[in-house]
Amino acid sequence: DGNLIYFDQSIYDLLANNLSEDKQIDGIVPRIVETISIINEDKERLEPRTTLMATNTTSETNSAFGALITVDEKKEVYTDSLEFDEVIINKRLADRLKAEINDDLFLIYSIVNISDSTESTTIPQNKTVRVKYIVENKGKANYQGKSIVFVSISQAQSYFNKSGLINFCLLYT
């Protein structure tokens, strides 16, 4: 995570379209995956290596990885229901941060600007977000046993200044 190369989302669209009739492919989903830090200031808790996973509800609704299921109400939730300053977190991250629904969290991350093949600039960023849902550690919310914060692809593109770009494409058979 965090070292993935961004590419134009139209490449995913082309790939998804070309594979849509292939019977050996169950699906393909676009994602943005980054490593960030998160602070819950009210509870004085820090999670220094958190996975930010941006998903696209349209392509993930019927995916093999399933929906995000809330811990409390056991209902399906999706990133497209989020306001720009809202996030979904998995139970693992909630436990580590002692976070609850409606808690404010402080995201810390960097934007890397590459001017040519030899020079890059890292610009520290931060954003305050509110927990809208806490989801079970199942399916994509249990990815590699990590602490995960979920946002929509458009949110992540804005956070990382990567309009129209993604850095991960998941193919499942």
Side-chain angles (χ1 to χ4, degrees):
D1 301 9
N3 294 320
L4 301 173
I5 296 172
Y6 280 83
F7 56 93
D8 197 287
Q9 193 166 346
S10 65
I11 294 170
Y12 157 79
D13 296 334
L14 181 63
L15 190 57
N17 186 48
N18 287 341
L19 295 174
S20 65
E21 300 300 318
D22 189 324
K23 301 295 183 214
Q24 295 179 335
I25 306 296
D26 291 330
I28 182 170
V29 294
R31 297 234 173 110
I32 293 175
V33 179
E34 290 283 354
T35 300
I36 65 170
S37 298
I38 299 183
I39 298 172
N40 185 343
E41 288 183 297
D42 291 340
K43 309 279 175 56
E44 297 181 347
R45 302 293 286 198
L46 163 70
E47 185 63 15
R49 290 193 49 83
T50 302
T51 298
L52 179 138
M53 185 180 295
T55 64
N56 176 326
T57 298
T58 304
S59 63
E60 299 224 8
T61 302
N62 297 315
S63 81
F65 300 100
L68 296 169
I69 307 296
T70 60
V71 171
D72 54 355
E73 298 174 11
K74 307 294 185 211
K75 72 175 186 174
E76 292 185 10
V77 293
Y78 299 96
T79 56
D80 71 344
S81 69
L82 299 173
E83 296 295 327
F84 190 72
D85 64 344
E86 293 176 330
V87 296
I88 300 169
I89 63 174
N90 69 353
K91 176 95 169 63
R92 184 175 296 104
L93 180 59
D95 289 346
R96 289 184 175 156
L97 292 174
K98 298 189 183 305
E100 300 173 16
I101 303 294
N102 291 321
D103 277 1
D104 287 335
L105 304 177
F106 193 65
L107 309 182
I108 303 168
Y109 55 97
S110 296
I111 295 175
V112 178
N113 290 327
I114 300 172
S115 56
D116 61 36
S117 61
T118 60
E119 284 199 34
S120 66
T121 307
T122 302
I123 304 165
Q125 301 288 305
N126 60 68
K127 177 157 190 53
T128 300
V129 296
R130 178 157 291 157
V131 176
K132 183 167 184 179
Y133 301 112
I134 298 172
V135 296
E136 297 175 348
N137 298 325
K138 295 182 179 175
K140 63 182 153 260
N142 199 36
Y143 172 70
Q144 298 182 349
K146 295 183 177 204
S147 297
I148 305 172
V149 57
F150 292 92
V151 297
S152 69
I153 286 180
S154 62
Q155 282 173 284
Q157 287 171 333
S158 176
Y159 295 174
F160 294 99
N161 196 26
K162 301 289 185 185
S163 179
L165 303 175
I166 59 176
N167 68 359
F168 200 82
C169 193
L170 190 58
L171 181 73
Y172 53 97
T173 57

